[in-house]
């Protein structure tokens, strides 16, 4: 085992390797186990996205608007997932004239890729975690930020003015809201003293207060609700949902950066967007909601984790139905003049409190 | 209008000039007099249009050019400028400008009234009169390459319009990158775009996200409504078409425009009972139309088929159900007849009244919901207050009417100022807002729904207690109407979007010789560059949404 | 209108047979899909697969957010609260034609708009379907007499389903969409039309008389577009 990094104990690849007896094969076995683990996690997310995209989104929006939505195709209209996916994949892939070819093709690939990459370090409970590096949080933020690159590639390479506007808006919004997002995340790190995701989750297990015998855990959402609110807002902007869906803005710039994409690429973009929403939810859950923590045995962790990321998805859909969209300049202004200032104030305040607490 | 409390700016405060006084004021400019049913007409020389219009505007207070009608006679072309006063629209005057048969040129009125710009372009497009000094005399409704002027006498409709493809090259295909100015970007918004409410084409020049220049290109829904009305008989064949001008359920309001003009022309009295039914139906239409306006405005600002749009449609469905009970159709009612309405209220009447009352009772709650969701939403206020500003003077110069003008503080509502139907017997108020911005126009619409509900409620009370023996729904109208030769009339009603006027000239037959529609949206849309230039793209979209245009009415 | 002066191919069995023979004997395999090659000549899987694809296309469709005239108001009502077209899996309006399957043509088409509508239709990816909504898309409807009005959507783009009415009630449009889905699911609607740039690929096929006549009509020196669409072929 010279030079090889041994699989981290308790991580998903390690478990798989143990189960399948891959330990015996050295590095090759580790690689296979890691790939299998990644495959499992990716599929778990794709299944979630399949439910969210063609079906849950419609049903949720319908519930907000007094409608029923899909109910003819299969039970509760669930077969529409199959129909939508296969239909979109079987459509003609139109490549517009003048498209900047490698960039045009790479853009849609980057988006789901970056979101899935972010999930590599997320502890999903029940032992589902691919890796737990010491810089886990930084990795998650970095991975999800790669998407901006994909967005601007798509916007620029489509040879369409609406796409260009959408791509530029997407980049402007990502830059403006990434900083508050990360700075707010850092305020949690001040508490935990580590960037390692499992440690952040572990730090939230202690009891915060106990009211009438019910122990409220030390989730950072309870410890610092202000930071949680900031983080959720910045997160909604980061995934580009109402009221911050400036990059897509159907009534203004048709469909923004995805205007020219059809068929498979459209599916990839769509997948990427939804996995991004889930990734946003996952980071928020890990930092502020105790990750996979919840009542019941620890084996239920994945259930609680799924519930938390779906709660964030529900929030985005709720906002989409009820909140108007900001104008692009107001959006940037709120990002730079409001969110940034507030997030730094939060950081300083947290630092002071943590400093006082530790000196006491 | 309340009978108890007279309006502060009642017509009496506006100085009124008699026809002779005006003739004296115009002096030598006048080379002849005409008598239109609605107003005195002064014939002026084609090269003195600007002088006459500006005298009338500055010295006599005729500040509203509501319409420009162009037509062709056997021996001459003629443009008629229908002038009114914003303070008292019953004071009207027509400026008749004949032009030479061989070389139809007359002076443009654009320098005096900005709204003349589009009206004269339309006259050039359809009839073929050329206007001197016009800043931009191009075709407006028909494609640039169209051959001939379709409303001119010698136009052959059956001759195919054969245009080589190279002359009609797709303007979208060329790259609009200019060498000199690389800071701006040309962007086509429409004719197929989610926010253009149909098939409007906005040629915009963007500087970053800001709109440097915007020009609306219309005509993508020019359905030859005027020609079709000229081919129909007064009595029955014209009435179905008004429904299709402003097709957002405002059908009865449009029908009333034609009914009013034709009834005044043929001197038909409408029974009071029918007038009450008309008033009620028209206001139901107004509610439905404003609901859609609010819903689509929210759609433009919110960006998706969201809750507020769906709620607006839900309430529209209720109004449409009532209208369907009344007229038999959901959208294209064809309910009015000259001299009344086609049939009485649906039986059993109690059920109809109850249904309508239920709708009215639920309405305040629904409006409360709208106010919660839209008008009191901080983000929406951020988006709409002080954007798309249209100062009242500019609005007047462009001939803006309806909620657009009232949102700019111009107190102009034909239902009160030029009463027709049963409006002057009822108690209601004209809604105005002084904000001049997108938000004011939204508020005006929401509050007008309340006023319409008040009117409907009073109408229902009246209809319920109406004596049984007096329920005449139609006056006695001859089977064929043939108004006297060369009778001319311009009459307007308050449509859902503003002043909807009809000009008709009879030639002694049972079909009008010229049928001209003055569409409120046509004038309102002209104000878009004023509102949008210098603003951001989202504000351009919001301004367009707040104008609430219907392309069927813009293009006719 | 012109069935008597245009030579129609009365016997198309020959054309069909030629193509089929060419495909089966393997001398022209352009019609053979990769799947067909993969599965060999066994018809069972392909039939089932076709059926599945038809079901897929008939069960779920994205609509193009496309409004023209009066009918678009009723179309909005069809999408919205009471009628809720999404129950049939057909209620997702997409603003970009690249992502739409079905275009509902809701209203009168005039000379200025026809080329633009054609363009929007061309921008949609195959397989695509067209629902003509209202009398105007059938014949020009009440505006047929107008100098500027195109006498039906079919002058410009192929229409799969006509929904008559002026305007059709939302229920009628729902019925039209359901009928279209039924036709697609039964394989009655052609899933793919050959595009102009693909014609080159099939250039050496024997031309039938209609194609020949249409090709002769085109003056390649100066292509002519007519506004009077009534006389167009």
């Amino acid at each position: 085992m010279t030079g090889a990094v041994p699989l981290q104990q308790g991580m998903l690849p390690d478990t798989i390797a143990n189960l399948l007896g891959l330990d015996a094969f050295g590095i090759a076995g580790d690689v296979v186990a890691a790939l299998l683990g990644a495959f499992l996690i990716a599929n778990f997310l794709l299944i979630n996205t399949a439910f969210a995209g063609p079906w849950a989104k419609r049903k949720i929006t319908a519930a907000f608007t007094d409608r029923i939505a899909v109910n003819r195709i299969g039970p509760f209209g669930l077969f529409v997932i199959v129909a939508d996916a296969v239909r979109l994949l079987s459509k003609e892939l139109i490549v517009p004239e003048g498209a900047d070819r490698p960039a045009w093709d790479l853009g849609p690939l980057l988006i789901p890729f970056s979101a899935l990459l972010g999930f590599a370090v997320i502890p999903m409970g029940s032992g589902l975690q691919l890796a737990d590096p010491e810089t886990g949080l930084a990795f998650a933020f970095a991975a999800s930020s790669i998407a901006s690159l994909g967005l601007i590639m798509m916007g620029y390479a489509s040879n369409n003015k609406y796409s260009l506007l959408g791509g530029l808006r997407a980049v402007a919004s990502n830059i403006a809201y990434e900083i508050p997002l990360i700075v707010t995340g850092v305020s949690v790190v001040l508490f935990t003293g580590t960037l390692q995701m499992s440690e952040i989750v572990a730090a939230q297990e202690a009891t915060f207060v106990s009211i009438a015998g019910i122990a409220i855990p030390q989730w950072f959402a309870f410890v610092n609700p202000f930071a949680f609110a900031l983080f959720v807002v910045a997160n909604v902007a980061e995934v580009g949902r109402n009221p911050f869906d400036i990059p897509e803005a159907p009534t203004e710039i048709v469909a923004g950066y995805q205007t020219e994409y059809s068929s498979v690429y459209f599916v990839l973009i769509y997948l990427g967007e939804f996995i991004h929403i889930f990734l946003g939810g996952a980071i928020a859950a890990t930092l502020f909601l105790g990750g996979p923590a919840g009542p019941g045995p620890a084996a239920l962790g994945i259930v609680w984790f799924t519930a938390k990321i779906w709660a964030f998805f529900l929030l985005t859909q709720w906002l989409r139905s009820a909140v108007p969209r900001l104008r692009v300049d107001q959006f940037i202004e709120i990002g730079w003049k409001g969110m940034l200032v507030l997030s730094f104030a939060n950081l300083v305040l947290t630092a002071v409190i943590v400093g006082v607490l530790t000196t006491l | 209008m309340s009978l108890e409390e007279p309006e502060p700016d009642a017509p009496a405060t506006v100085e009124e000039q008699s026809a002779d006084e005006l003739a004296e004021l115009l002096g030598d400019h006048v080379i002849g007099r005409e008598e239109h049913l609605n107003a005195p007409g002064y014939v002026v020389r084609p090269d003195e249009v600007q002088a006459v219009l500006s005298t009338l505007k500055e010295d006599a207070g005729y500040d509203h050019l509501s319409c420009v009608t162009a037509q062709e006679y056997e021996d001459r072309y003629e443009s008629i400028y229908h002038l009114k006063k914003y303070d008292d629209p019953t004071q009207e005057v027509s400026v008749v400008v004949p032009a030479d048969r061989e070389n139809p040129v007359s002076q443009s009125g654009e320098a005096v009234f900005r709204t003349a710009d589009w009206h004269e372009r339309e006259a050039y497009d359809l009839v073929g009169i050329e206007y001197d000094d016009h800043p931009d005399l191009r075709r407006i409704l028909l494609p640039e390459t169209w051959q001939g002027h379709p409303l001119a006498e010698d136009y052959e409709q059956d001759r195919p319009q054969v245009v080589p493809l190279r002359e009609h090259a797709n303007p979208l295909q060329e790259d609009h990158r200019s060498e000199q100015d690389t800071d701006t970007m040309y962007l086509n918004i429409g004719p197929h775009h989610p926010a253009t409410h149909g098939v409007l084409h906005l040629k915009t020049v963007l500087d970053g996200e800001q709109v440097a220049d915007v020009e609306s290109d219309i005509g993508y829904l020019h359905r030859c409504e005027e020609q079709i009305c000229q081919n129909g008989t007064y009595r029955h064949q014209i009435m179905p078409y008004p429904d299709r001008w402003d097709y957002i359920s405002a059908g009865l309001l449009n029908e009333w425009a034609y009914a009013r003009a034709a009834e005044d022309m043929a001197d038909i009295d409408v029974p009071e009972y029918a007038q009450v039914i008309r008033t009620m139906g028209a206001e139901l239409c107004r509610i439905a139309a404003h609901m859609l306006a609010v819903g689509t405005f929210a759609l433009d600002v919110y960006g998706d088929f969201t809750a507020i749009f769906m709620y607006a449609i839900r309430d529209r469905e209720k109004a449409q159900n009532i209208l369907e009970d009344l007229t038999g159709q959901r959208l294209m009612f064809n309910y009015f007849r000259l001299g009344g309405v086609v049939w009485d209220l649906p039986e059993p009447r109690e059920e109809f009244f109850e249904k309508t009352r239920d709708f009215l009772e639920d309405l305040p709650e629904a409006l409360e919901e709208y106010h919660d969701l839209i008008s009191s939403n901080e983000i929406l206020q951020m988006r709409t207050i002080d954007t798309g500003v249209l100062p009242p003077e500019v609005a007047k110069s462009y001939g803006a009417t309806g909620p657009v003008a009232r949102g700019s503080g111009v107190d102009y509502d034909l239902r009160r100022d030029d009463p027709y139907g049963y409006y002057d017997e009822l108690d209601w108020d004209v809604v105005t807002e002084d904000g001049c911005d997108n938000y004011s126009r939204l508020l005006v619409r929401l509050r007008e729904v309340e006023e319409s509900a008040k009117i409907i409620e009073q109408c229902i009370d009246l209809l319920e207690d109406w004596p049984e023996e007096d329920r005449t729904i139609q006056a006695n109208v001859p089977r064929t109407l043939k108004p006297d030769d060369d009778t001319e009339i311009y009459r307007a009603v308050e449509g859902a979007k503003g002043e909807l006027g009809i000009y008709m000239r009879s030639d002694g037959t049972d079909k009008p010789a010229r049928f001209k529609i003055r569409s409120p949206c046509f004038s309102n849309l002209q104000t878009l560059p004023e509102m949008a230039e210098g603003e951001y793209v989202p504000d351009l979209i919001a301004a367009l949404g707040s104008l609430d245009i219907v392309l069927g009415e813009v293009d006719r | 209108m012109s069935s008597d002066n245009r030579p129609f191919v009365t016997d198309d069995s020959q054309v069909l047979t030629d193509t089929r023979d060419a495909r089966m004997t393997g001398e022209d395999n352009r019609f053979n899909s990769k799947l067909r090659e993969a599965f060999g000549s066994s018809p069972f899987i392909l039939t089932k697969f076709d059926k599945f694809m038809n079901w897929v296309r008939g069960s779920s469709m994205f609509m193009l957010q496309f409004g023209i005239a009066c009918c678009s108001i009723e179309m909005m009502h069809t999408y919205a609260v009471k009628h809720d077209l999404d129950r049939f899996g057909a209620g997702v309006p997409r603003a970009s034609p690249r992502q739409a399957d079905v275009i509902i043509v809701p209203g009168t088409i005039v000379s200025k708009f026809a080329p633009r509508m054609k363009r929007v239709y061309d921008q949609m990816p195959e397989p695509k379907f067209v629902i003509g909504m209202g009398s105007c898309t059938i014949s020009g409807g009440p505006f047929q007499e107008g100098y500027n009005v195109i006498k039906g959507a079919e002058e410009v783009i192929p229409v799969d389903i006509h929904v008559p009415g002026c305007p059709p009630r939302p229920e009628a449009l729902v019925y039209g969409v359901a009928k279209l889905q039924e036709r697609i699911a039964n394989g009655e609607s052609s899933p793919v039309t050959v595009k102009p740039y693909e014609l080159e690929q099939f250039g050496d096929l024997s031309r039938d008389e209609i194609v020949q006549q249409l090709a002769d009509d085109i003056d390649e020196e100066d292509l002519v577009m007519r506004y009077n669409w009534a006389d167009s072929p």
Side-chain angles (χ1 to χ4, degrees):
Chain A
M1 296 280 282
T2 46
V5 184
L7 294 175
Q8 276 174 297
Q9 289 299 309
M11 295 294 111
L12 185 61
D14 183 48
T15 320
I16 292 172
N18 286 337
L19 272 179
L20 300 182
L22 290 168
D23 288 338
F25 297 96
I27 298 175
D30 288 354
V31 169
V32 171
L35 283 177
L36 271 177
F39 180 75
L40 272 179
I41 299 275
N43 269 308
F44 169 70
L45 286 164
L46 289 179
I47 290 168
N48 268 315
T49 315
F51 273 99
W55 186 75
K57 184 185 169 197
R58 281 172 168 183
K59 281 292 198 186
I60 293 168
T61 315
F64 278 117
T65 55
D66 283 359
R67 288 185 298 129
I68 304 169
V70 273
N71 68 346
R72 301 293 162 110
I73 311 145
F76 305 105
L78 271 172
F79 288 179
V80 82
I81 297 171
V82 181
D84 254 353
V86 177
R87 174 182 55 84
L88 281 169
L89 291 175
S90 74
K91 294 216 55 144
E92 181 191 11
L93 181 65
I94 297 177
V95 184
E97 213 178 325
D100 196 349
R101 218 29 218 281
W104 195 79
D105 297 302
L106 278 175
L109 289 172
L110 267 181
I111 294 178
F113 163 76
S114 75
L116 283 174
L117 198 61
F119 266 99
V121 295
I122 303 283
M124 301 194 203
S126 315
L128 292 173
Q129 188 178 8
L130 280 178
D132 194 16
E134 279 174 19
T135 55
L137 187 60
F139 177 83
F141 280 133
S144 74
S145 302
I146 300 175
S148 318
L149 191 63
L151 297 182
I152 193 153
M153 274 159 82
M154 281 157 52
Y156 182 76
S158 290
N159 193 26
N160 180 315
K161 287 165 183 170
Y162 288 113
S163 298
L164 183 64
L165 282 176
L168 292 177
R169 282 178 173 200
V171 172
S173 76
N174 277 5
I175 294 173
Y177 282 81
E178 202 112 290
I179 301 172
L181 186 76
I182 293 173
V183 169
T184 317
V186 167
S187 75
V188 170
V189 176
L190 285 180
F191 274 113
T192 61
T194 171
L195 287 167
Q196 201 166 5
M197 290 300 223
S198 58
E199 294 293 316
I200 294 175
V201 171
Q204 299 181 51
E205 275 166 7
T207 303
F208 181 42
V209 278
S210 198
I211 301 167
I214 303 164
I216 294 178
Q218 195 184 354
W219 292 0
F220 291 117
F222 299 138
V223 177
N224 191 353
F226 177 63
F228 180 58
L230 271 180
F231 192 83
V232 168
V233 172
N235 220 335
V236 170
E238 180 67 16
V239 297
R241 297 288 126 182
N242 269 27
F244 308 114
D245 68 332
I246 317 287
E248 262 191 77
T251 45
E252 290 159 22
I253 50 171
V254 189
Y257 47 80
Q258 45 173 294
T259 305
E260 287 289 349
Y261 284 92
S262 61
S263 185
V264 184
Y265 286 161
F266 175 60
V267 175
L268 283 174
I269 296 168
Y270 224 73
L271 271 181
E273 284 191 356
F274 277 93
I275 302 176
H276 253 283
I277 297 180
F278 285 131
L279 179 62
I283 298 178
T286 309
L287 288 183
F288 288 98
L289 298 175
L300 279 180
I302 184 67
V303 178
W304 288 113
F305 180 78
T306 315
K308 281 168 193 169
I309 59 175
W310 273 83
F312 183 69
F313 175 72
L314 192 64
L315 175 77
T316 60
Q317 294 308 307
W318 180 20
L319 291 174
R320 177 176 173 271
S321 287
V323 182
R325 178 196 305 133
L326 286 163
R327 202 171 57 209
V328 58
D329 63 315
Q330 293 167 341
F331 171 62
I332 302 297
E333 201 174 299
I334 289 175
W336 287 112
K337 292 189 187 162
M339 298 291 292
L340 191 64
V341 176
L342 285 177
S343 60
F344 272 110
N346 170 52
L347 186 67
V348 171
L349 206 66
T350 317
V352 169
I353 291 173
V354 170
V356 169
L357 283 179
T358 44
T359 48
L360 278 180
Chain B
M1 186 169 65
S2 159
L3 289 177
E4 288 81 41
E5 36 177 348
E7 289 294 319
D9 50 355
T13 56
V14 185
E15 186 189 350
E16 181 159 5
Q17 299 89 352
S18 71
D20 290 327
E21 276 171 13
L22 281 176
E24 204 172 304
L25 183 71
L26 292 175
D28 293 341
H29 295 308
V30 180
I31 54 172
R33 294 276 289 271
E34 275 185 21
E35 211 45 54
H36 296 176
L37 281 184
N38 62 316
Y42 301 98
V43 184
V44 304
R45 289 168 46 83
D47 52 356
E48 285 175 346
V49 177
Q50 271 178 22
V52 171
L53 288 182
S54 98
T55 313
L56 284 172
K57 185 185 182 187
E58 304 300 332
D59 301 337
Y62 287 94
D63 53 355
H64 179 28
L65 173 61
S66 58
C67 186
V68 180
T69 307
Q71 53 185 328
E72 188 182 5
Y73 285 90
E74 303 247 310
D75 58 336
R76 65 179 192 278
Y77 283 92
E78 196 176 273
S79 327
I80 308 175
Y81 294 80
H82 303 279
L83 294 173
K84 280 185 181 183
K85 291 181 180 174
Y86 266 108
D87 292 331
D88 178 15
T90 52
Q91 295 180 36
E92 296 175 69
V93 64
S94 307
V95 177
V96 183
V97 188
D100 187 35
R101 183 90 183 73
E102 300 307 317
N103 180 26
V105 180
S106 83
Q107 199 182 24
S108 163
E110 199 270 343
V112 188
F113 292 101
R114 307 276 284 280
T115 182
D117 180 358
W118 278 21
H119 283 283
E120 284 170 356
R121 273 177 71 187
E122 188 195 321
Y124 163 71
D125 191 357
L126 300 183
V127 182
I129 303 177
E130 288 180 22
Y131 292 89
D132 261 353
D133 301 342
H134 192 282
D136 184 23
L137 196 64
R138 284 177 295 135
R139 288 191 180 272
I140 185 167
L141 295 175
L142 294 169
E144 287 282 316
T145 46
W146 194 269
Q147 296 158 333
H149 302 279
L151 291 185
E153 302 269 315
D154 57 352
Y155 181 76
E156 278 178 63
Q157 195 182 326
D158 294 334
R159 210 185 63 192
Q161 292 272 336
V162 180
V163 180
L165 206 55
R166 65 189 139 75
E167 270 186 43
H168 198 266
N170 189 343
L172 303 178
Q173 261 167 3
E174 63 182 280
D175 194 356
H176 283 273
R177 196 174 298 155
S178 76
E179 262 79 56
Q180 307 87 29
D181 189 7
T182 49
D183 288 347
T184 58
M185 176 167 83
Y186 178 87
L187 184 69
N188 282 302
I189 300 183
H192 161 238
H193 183 277
T196 50
H197 295 223
V199 284
L200 173 69
H201 177 198
L202 296 177
K203 300 172 178 171
T204 47
V205 176
L206 298 186
D207 182 2
E209 280 268 355
Q210 271 175 322
V211 179
D213 183 43
V214 57
E215 186 199 334
S216 2
D217 175 19
I218 61 173
Y220 291 95
L221 194 53
H222 175 53
R223 304 192 280 194
C224 332
E225 305 263 15
E226 289 176 6
Q227 178 212 26
I228 282 165
C229 288
Q230 276 162 221
N231 292 344
T233 56
Y234 291 106
R235 186 71 174 89
H236 289 298
Q237 290 180 349
I238 296 179
M239 197 54 99
Y241 285 97
D243 288 318
R244 290 160 178 86
W245 301 340
D246 176 359
Y247 44 71
I248 305 196
S249 294
L252 292 183
L253 294 157
N254 305 353
E255 286 174 25
W256 208 337
Y258 169 64
R260 188 176 186 210
E263 280 156 7
D264 281 0
M265 193 172 192
D267 208 11
I268 300 166
D269 280 325
V270 183
E272 258 188 32
Y273 181 63
Q275 291 283 32
V276 180
I277 298 182
R278 280 182 174 189
T279 311
M280 180 189 67
E283 290 309 310
L284 274 168
C285 282
R286 195 184 306 276
I287 289 184
H290 280 352
M291 287 288 179
L292 193 77
V294 169
T296 47
F297 179 67
L299 176 66
D300 288 344
V301 176
Y302 282 56
D304 230 317
F305 288 92
T306 51
I308 191 66
F309 176 79
M310 295 294 178
Y311 293 167
I313 295 278
R314 177 196 66 194
D315 291 327
R316 259 175 68 82
E317 282 282 354
K318 291 182 192 163
Q320 279 192 323
N321 277 344
I322 297 170
L323 281 166
E324 193 183 350
D325 286 353
L326 181 67
T327 66
Q329 235 276 28
R330 274 171 62 90
L331 212 56
M332 303 299 165
F333 309 109
N334 193 15
Y335 180 60
F336 285 12
R337 291 291 178 273
L338 299 188
V341 293
V342 62
W343 47 58
D344 203 347
L345 298 173
E347 298 285 352
R349 264 181 232 140
E350 295 74 36
E351 221 168 85
F352 175 76
F353 290 138
E354 203 189 313
K355 197 171 173 182
T356 318
R357 284 230 165 86
D358 282 350
F359 170 63
L360 294 177
E361 265 168 36
D362 293 345
L363 203 56
E365 203 184 323
L367 281 171
E368 190 71 20
E369 206 171 6
Y370 291 131
H371 282 298
D372 282 350
L373 266 168
I374 3 183
S375 54
S376 56
N377 185 319
E378 283 85 356
I379 297 180
L380 187 113
Q381 290 179 0
M382 268 169 70
R383 280 291 310 272
T384 52
I385 289 179
D386 281 335
T387 60
V389 177
L390 184 69
E393 283 317 307
V394 180
K396 284 183 180 179
S397 168
Y398 277 106
T401 48
V404 176
R406 290 196 284 274
S408 290
V410 179
D411 193 7
Y412 179 77
D413 190 327
L414 290 174
R415 290 175 291 173
R416 178 200 63 200
D417 298 338
D418 183 10
Y420 57 96
Y422 215 71
Y423 286 114
D424 50 352
E425 310 281 325
L426 304 171
D427 177 31
W428 59 282
D429 296 309
V430 175
V431 177
T432 55
E433 289 280 339
D434 294 327
C436 309
D437 49 15
N438 294 340
Y439 188 63
S440 308
R441 291 187 276 276
L442 173 71
L443 277 190
V444 165
R445 293 209 174 85
L446 281 172
R447 286 176 54 200
E448 275 188 11
V449 171
E450 288 170 34
E451 295 299 323
S452 295
K454 254 160 77 180
I455 297 177
I456 299 169
E457 204 160 2
Q458 295 169 54
C459 287
I460 289 180
D461 290 341
L462 281 168
L463 289 172
E464 235 173 357
D465 303 334
W466 208 270
E468 203 60 44
E469 65 283 359
D470 199 19
R471 290 178 184 255
T472 328
I473 53 161
Q474 262 190 55
N476 204 357
V477 184
R479 194 169 283 266
T480 317
L481 279 181
K482 285 187 181 170
D484 298 335
D485 194 8
D486 216 24
T487 322
E488 294 176 54
I489 188 168
Y490 173 80
R491 271 275 177 266
V493 300
E494 184 72 23
K497 322 283 189 246
E499 176 185 340
L500 177 63
I502 307 286
Y503 166 85
M504 280 195 293
R505 175 169 66 87
S506 67
D507 55 358
T509 63
D510 58 350
K511 294 173 180 176
R514 178 78 174 99
F515 191 97
K516 161 84 187 163
I517 307 157
R518 188 268 181 207
S519 119
C521 295
F522 185 75
S523 300
N524 289 352
L525 179 59
Q526 259 186 294
T527 62
L528 184 66
E530 294 283 342
M531 293 157 61
E533 274 170 22
E535 304 265 11
Y536 289 91
V537 181
D539 286 338
L540 165 73
I541 302 295
L544 186 63
S546 78
L547 279 179
D548 184 26
I549 49 154
V550 182
L551 267 299
E553 202 180 54
V554 174
D555 296 344
R556 285 150 290 143
Chain C
M1 56 178 175
S2 50
S3 57
D4 33 29
N5 58 23
R6 184 179 298 167
F8 267 103
V9 183
T10 46
D11 177 25
D12 59 354
S13 57
Q14 194 57 40
V15 180
L16 277 178
T17 318
D18 283 351
T19 319
R20 193 167 54 219
D21 289 349
R23 187 169 67 199
M24 287 173 76
T25 54
E27 67 193 55
D28 184 350
N29 64 356
R30 282 168 300 180
F31 293 102
N32 294 345
S33 64
K34 296 222 168 63
L35 270 171
R36 196 185 287 274
E37 283 166 24
F39 288 114
S41 59
S42 157
F44 174 76
I45 290 173
L46 283 185
T47 320
K48 286 291 171 204
F49 185 72
D50 281 352
K51 231 179 158 166
F52 173 67
M53 287 312 291
N54 285 335
W55 173 81
V56 159
R57 284 172 186 148
S59 302
S60 152
M61 31 182 66
F62 283 178
M63 313 308 245
L64 182 65
Q65 199 176 331
F66 185 67
I68 303 180
C70 328
C71 289
S72 55
I73 305 296
E74 288 295 59
M75 188 180 74
M76 282 197 245
H77 277 257
T78 317
Y79 287 135
V81 177
K82 188 169 151 193
H83 303 282
D84 192 14
L85 192 57
D86 204 18
R87 287 175 297 155
F88 299 84
V92 179
R94 293 298 309 178
S96 165
R98 298 272 191 238
Q99 292 138 21
D101 304 296
V102 179
I103 174 174
I104 300 180
V105 184
T108 323
I109 304 143
V110 301
S111 67
K112 206 170 170 181
F113 191 61
R116 304 304 168 87
M117 188 174 80
K118 173 91 167 44
R119 194 179 159 86
V120 170
Y121 174 77
D122 287 343
Q123 283 172 336
M124 289 166 58
E126 299 282 356
K128 52 193 169 187
F129 306 99
V130 183
I131 297 176
M133 184 183 181
S135 309
C136 291
T137 60
I138 297 174
S139 64
F143 303 101
Q144 199 187 25
E145 306 276 294
Y147 48 84
N148 193 27
V149 176
I150 284 163
K151 279 73 182 162
E154 223 144 7
E155 306 266 343
V156 189
I157 56 177
V159 179
D160 290 277
I161 290 275
H162 285 292
V163 183
C166 188
R169 298 175 62 90
E171 291 90 331
L173 182 60
V174 171
Y175 181 70
V177 172
K179 269 285 169 206
L180 175 66
Q181 293 184 334
E182 196 182 307
R183 285 195 54 176
I184 298 171
N186 291 339
E188 289 167 22
S189 208
S190 88
V192 173
T193 51
V194 177
K195 297 203 151 179
Y197 56 80
E198 288 170 346
L199 272 176
E200 225 171 89
Q201 204 182 339
F202 295 93
D204 58 327
L205 291 181
S206 58
R207 281 186 173 177
D208 66 18
E209 289 163 62
I210 294 179
V211 175
Q212 193 59 52
Q213 195 206 355
L214 286 175
D216 290 345
D217 274 355
I218 298 171
D219 175 8
E220 300 202 352
E221 290 299 303
D222 190 14
L223 292 161
V224 166
M225 82 174 284
R226 300 169 216 232
Y227 289 137
N228 191 343
W229 295 71
D231 294 337
S232 51

